[in-house]
Structures are given as C-alpha cells and as structure tokens.
Amino acid sequence: VLLELGGRPLIHQSIDALRSAGISQIAVAVGYQSEKILNALDETLPPLTFVYNQHYYEGNALSVYAARAFLSDGPFVVCMGDHLISPGIVQSLLSEQGDGCVLCVDSAAWHSSQTNDATRVLTDLDGYITNIGKHLKDWNTTDTGVFKMTAEVFPAIEQLMDGQGMNVSITDVVTFMGEIGQTFATCDVSGMLWADVDTVEDYEA
C-alpha cells in the first residue's frame, strides 16, 4: 500500500476516491508493518482513524470486523488499500438505492491488473450475486474490491469464525449472506478506472 504511484503512496488513491465522493470519516485497518503505514499517513488531512487488526495474516474479512467499533449502524464503504480506484466508482456506489449490501463489479474487465487473480462473480438477471470465487467456471462479471456494507456483515463474520476459525475472507461473507437470504446486490462500474496491485507485474502495468 506504500508503493509510490503518481508520486504518492498507492493507498492515497483509495482515500482520495472516498473523499471525492463526500466521505469524510475514514478508518484504515492496519496490521502488517503498521508503524510504516501510520507514519506515512500521519499528516493526512482531515485526519484518519486507524484500527489494528491483530489477525492480519488471516482472512481479509477480519479487517472489516476490526473496524466495527468505528462504524455506526448505517451503511459504510469498504475498499482495498492496494487498489487504484476512480472517484466515479464510489460515487456510483453511493447513488445505489436500497438498504442491503452492494459490490461494485466490472463486466468488461480486460487489463491484466483487473483479470490476474481476479475474483469472479456470477449474477442473476436482477444483478444479485448467486456465486463468487476466484475459480468459478460460470461467471459474468469481476469483483472490483469496492463494497457498500451494512452492520449485518458483523454477525455473519462471527458465525463464520465460529465455524471455520479466523481465516474468513470477504468472499466467504458474501457467499454466506447469500445462503441466509441477505444476498449482495451489484453496481456495474464497467469502463471506470480501477486496478488491483498484487504483483510487480500489476504495478508496472
């Protein structure tokens, strides 16, 4: 998240996108090499809130869970610190009507940083997620890593931790909530700029 992109750490791309969409209260979940991230973002204005995820080596849903005390009962946006996202993605997400959880998806993803190791998503005709995972054979769109979530995700994470331990991913949460009737909707942001920087190749691209 501290790799330089455009002269600033990559994580600033997500922070800028959130603020450009009108979100002023932002928490950053830290764990691995947290002091470096705290130092790099220490003078960011408006100030950020930092939450520590002691289980950062486990599934990424634990970072969402670590921020639960920061969040109110209303909906909140989740995005990844190692993603490049345009403000338009967040703006489109916030314009979505409805009270449930939503995932931004791209049905026209083509760039290597979008398709390498991508989480695939299958939606029904109404745009609700029926299946999600990296190895789906039947899929019609791609997970961008930008979500609107509600407080309903926290008991879902707790139930998954009770059943499978701490290795709980956001993909697990989306799947589980679909199984219990709290299916995620989708927001199609095809054509908007986003990238997942997981590898040297992604970064160079």
Side-chain angles (χ1 to χ4, degrees), residues 72-184:
S72 65
D73 292 334
F76 55 94
V77 174
V78 174
C79 58
M80 309 298 157
D82 62 352
H83 280 206
L84 167 66
I85 57 172
S86 68
I89 291 177
V90 184
Q91 291 163 0
S92 295
L93 179 62
L94 295 180
S95 69
E96 285 288 309
Q97 302 298 314
D99 299 326
C101 297
V102 182
L103 167 61
C104 289
V105 296
D106 186 346
S107 57
W110 62 272
H111 194 272
S112 59
S113 64
Q114 299 171 329
T115 58
N116 289 347
D117 197 41
T119 297
R120 300 168 176 178
V121 180
L122 180 66
T123 63
D124 64 18
L125 293 176
D126 296 317
Y128 287 91
I129 295 175
T130 60
N131 207 352
I132 184 170
K134 290 185 181 294
H135 305 293
L136 297 187
K137 293 183 178 179
D138 185 14
W139 54 285
N140 54 16
T141 194
T142 302
D143 173 0
T144 68
V146 182
F147 298 79
K148 183 181 78 171
M149 295 185 183
T150 69
E152 291 175 338
V153 301
F154 300 127
I157 294 171
E158 289 169 355
Q159 288 187 60
L160 285 166
M161 286 192 292
D162 287 344
Q164 66 189 55
M166 306 303 284
N167 191 20
V168 178
S169 69
I170 293 175
T171 296
D172 292 335
V173 176
V174 176
T175 300
F176 176 74
M177 290 183 68
E179 291 170 351
I180 62 174
Q182 298 172 343
T183 308
F184 274 62

Side-chain angles (χ1 to χ4, degrees), residues 9-20:
L10 174 60
I11 194 172
H12 276 284
Q13 303 289 337
S14 297
I15 294 168
D16 288 350
L18 293 170
R19 286 184 170 152
S20 294

